[in-house]
Amino acid sequence: MERKILTASDGKMLTNGSVFATTIVLGDWDKAENYREVSFEEYEKEMAKEKTETHE
């Protein structure tokens, strides 16, 4: 079975809202439309927010 691979542009990350990565290998039931590019700054903000929420 052939897998579709998504790669973020330079300086960007891909996310579906819960997963962040520079490269995504889509599973059988996943779709490219589920992912969007975000800046590293947005990624870092989300990680800081998650860290704060987990320690509360």
Side-chain angles (χ1 to χ4, degrees):
M1 175 175 278
E2 187 174 319
R3 298 281 184 195
K4 186 167 185 177
I5 300 173
L6 306 177
T7 305
S9 303
D10 286 340
K12 302 277 185 171
M13 301 276 294
L14 293 167
T15 186
N16 65 357
S18 59
V19 172
F20 288 86
T22 55
T23 303
I24 301 285
V25 179
L26 294 177
D28 293 335
W29 295 279
D30 208 354
K31 297 177 185 176
E33 296 82 32
N34 294 338
Y35 294 86
R36 64 185 177 91
E37 282 190 327
V38 296
S39 67
F40 278 114
E41 291 79 18
E42 188 174 346
Y43 162 73
E44 289 172 343
K45 285 179 187 175
E46 283 296 317
M47 292 299 103
K49 179 181 168 185
E50 185 176 305
K51 185 176 180 181
T52 302
E53 289 173 355
T54 0
H55 291 296
E56 291 180 348

